Amino acid sequence: MNENSQAVYVTIVIYSKEPDGHGVGVELNYKVNDQFQPFHIISLWLPKEDFPSERKVLFHIFAETAKHLSENTEFVNYRATSPYFAHSRELMKRKSGVFLGDRQRYFTHLKKSPRWALGLALDGVKRKNSIEERLM
C-alpha cells in the first residue's frame, strides 16, 4: 500500500514450547491513520539444533525482515514479548544494525502477544516448515 513509507513496524512472536524447534510469527506493518496495515507476513519453523536460543532466533529475524524493507525506510520499530526487548535493547540495536545499516531502530516490549503474529507462530509449529507472503 505504501512502499514510500519511512516507518515500518515489525511484530514478532516466538513460540518456544516445542522440544525440537521454535515457531515464529512476523508481521511487517505500515502505520496508516494510527492503524497497523500489514504488508508482509512470515511464519517460520526454526529447529532448535540450528537456533538453540531465543537470541539466535531474533538475529535471524533481523536478517529476514531487512530483505523486505524498501530503500525509503528510515525507521524500524521491532515489537515483541521477548525479554531481550525489555532488558537488552543495546545488544538488539547493535545486532540489528548489521542488517539495517544506519536506519533508526527501536524495540518495544509488549506485555502480551498480538493474536495475528501468535497465529503465524503456531502455524509454523503445526506445519514444521516456513512460509511467507507479501500482502500488497
Side-chain angles (χ1 to χ4, degrees), residues 83-103:
Y84 286 103
F85 283 27
H87 305 295
S88 302
R89 283 192 176 105
E90 287 306 311
L91 172 66
M92 296 295 106
K93 261 189 156 168
R94 192 171 68 246
K95 293 296 185 175
S96 64
V98 170
F99 307 105
L100 298 176
D102 58 357
R103 292 177 170 125

Side-chain angles (χ1 to χ4, degrees), residues 96-115:
S96 64
V98 170
F99 307 105
L100 298 176
D102 58 357
R103 292 177 170 125
Q104 292 181 34
R105 300 170 304 285
Y106 294 93
F107 298 88
T108 303
H109 181 256
L110 302 174
K111 294 192 187 289
K112 61 184 236 183
S113 298
R115 64 179 177 179

Side-chain angles (χ1 to χ4, degrees), residues 7-14 27 29 31 36 54 58 62 75-90 92-93 96 104-114 117:
V8 171
Y9 295 80
V10 180
T11 305
I12 303 166
V13 172
I14 302 171
E27 276 187 343
N29 300 280
K31 198 167 190 179
F36 288 114
E54 186 173 311
L58 287 170
F62 296 152
F75 169 93
V76 181
N77 186 341
Y78 287 98
R79 307 165 63 238
T81 56
S82 171
Y84 286 103
F85 283 27
H87 305 295
S88 302
R89 283 192 176 105
E90 287 306 311
M92 296 295 106
K93 261 189 156 168
S96 64
Q104 292 181 34
R105 300 170 304 285
Y106 294 93
F107 298 88
T108 303
H109 181 256
L110 302 174
K111 294 192 187 289
K112 61 184 236 183
S113 298

Side-chain angles (χ1 to χ4, degrees), residues 2 11 18 20 24 30 33 44 81 83 103 117 122 128-129:
N2 191 358
T11 305
E18 289 291 308
D20 52 343
V24 182
Y30 299 124
N33 299 328
L44 298 171
T81 56
R103 292 177 170 125
L122 294 174
K128 302 276 195 253
N129 66 9

Side-chain angles (χ1 to χ4, degrees), residues 24-68:
V24 182
V26 181
E27 276 187 343
L28 285 82
N29 300 280
Y30 299 124
K31 198 167 190 179
V32 180
N33 299 328
D34 291 329
Q35 300 271 338
F36 288 114
Q37 183 70 43
F39 68 92
H40 200 97
I41 57 173
I42 304 170
S43 174
L44 298 171
W45 171 253
L46 302 175
K48 285 190 177 173
E49 63 187 31
D50 297 331
F51 300 91
S53 69
E54 186 173 311
R55 191 174 70 152
K56 294 240 187 226
V57 170
L58 287 170
F59 298 163
H60 180 72
I61 292 169
F62 296 152
E64 284 296 310
T65 56
K67 297 176 193 175
H68 305 291

